[in-house]
Amino acid sequence: SRCGVEAFNILLPLMDQQRFLSLDESEDAAVIKRGEKVTFVATANLGMEYTGTTELDVALQERFGNVFRLQFPPPDNEIKILENRCSGLSTKDSQRLVTLADDQRRLYKEGDFQRAISTRMLLNAGEMIGMGYEFELACLSTICNHFSDEGGNESQHSDILKIIQKMG
């Protein structure tokens, strides 16, 4: 969802039943045929919060027969992800980060936030905590600051900070 429409148009015949890519539009242009066992896999960040992305048209979307909508990992798995990828992060702090995310994501689903805390944000916070930063400071710089502070004490930034402070 980040490349130009021209790139998508070039790939369409390669991805459909034609199974080839013409290197230019002349009659004697070289043609690359798709191998029998070639599979295309793609990811896309879709939705209003992903600026800078191109809306994927139906012609491209339908060339991907299987579409999976991913959710956040279950809490136990997300804790393991943090522990495996954030050197020095304790189990207790991994659990605190995931609890923070779960609480905020629930509020996001209820419409109280414009976006959810991502696993990527948790990993950034986990890396800082693992290096010795205080939990609240790490969360402020890697999570809270990704949310608007417009509205002061009534902002999403402030609301996340309140959730962190309640955690102790």
Side-chain angles (χ1 to χ4, degrees), residues 37-141:
K37 295 187 180 190
V38 170
T39 300
F40 289 94
V41 177
T43 64
N45 293 322
L46 304 174
M48 294 294 293
E49 65 269 28
Y50 295 105
T51 59
T53 60
T54 304
E55 188 171 340
L56 302 178
D57 69 11
V58 174
L60 180 65
Q61 289 181 39
E62 288 182 356
R63 281 168 171 79
F64 292 95
N66 298 312
V67 176
F68 302 95
R69 294 193 184 273
L70 300 179
Q71 304 299 318
F72 291 106
D76 288 345
N77 290 3
E78 202 162 34
I79 289 167
K80 289 176 186 173
I81 291 168
L82 291 171
E83 290 176 344
N84 288 333
R85 300 220 6 225
C86 300
S87 178
L89 183 66
S90 69
T91 299
K92 178 185 174 190
D93 284 331
S94 296
Q95 292 168 338
R96 290 175 72 195
L97 286 169
V98 171
T99 298
L100 166 65
D102 283 347
D103 290 350
Q104 188 273 340
R105 290 169 185 164
R106 187 175 6 81
L107 294 170
Y108 164 73
K109 287 179 184 175
E110 293 171 5
D112 294 341
F113 284 90
Q114 292 179 334
R115 63 185 287 196
I117 292 175
S118 68
T119 302
R120 184 174 291 122
M121 288 181 199
L122 296 181
L123 287 165
N124 291 335
E127 288 174 9
M128 285 188 70
I129 296 165
M131 290 188 292
Y133 286 84
E134 299 271 336
F135 185 88
E136 191 171 319
L137 176 62
C139 290
L140 177 66
S141 63

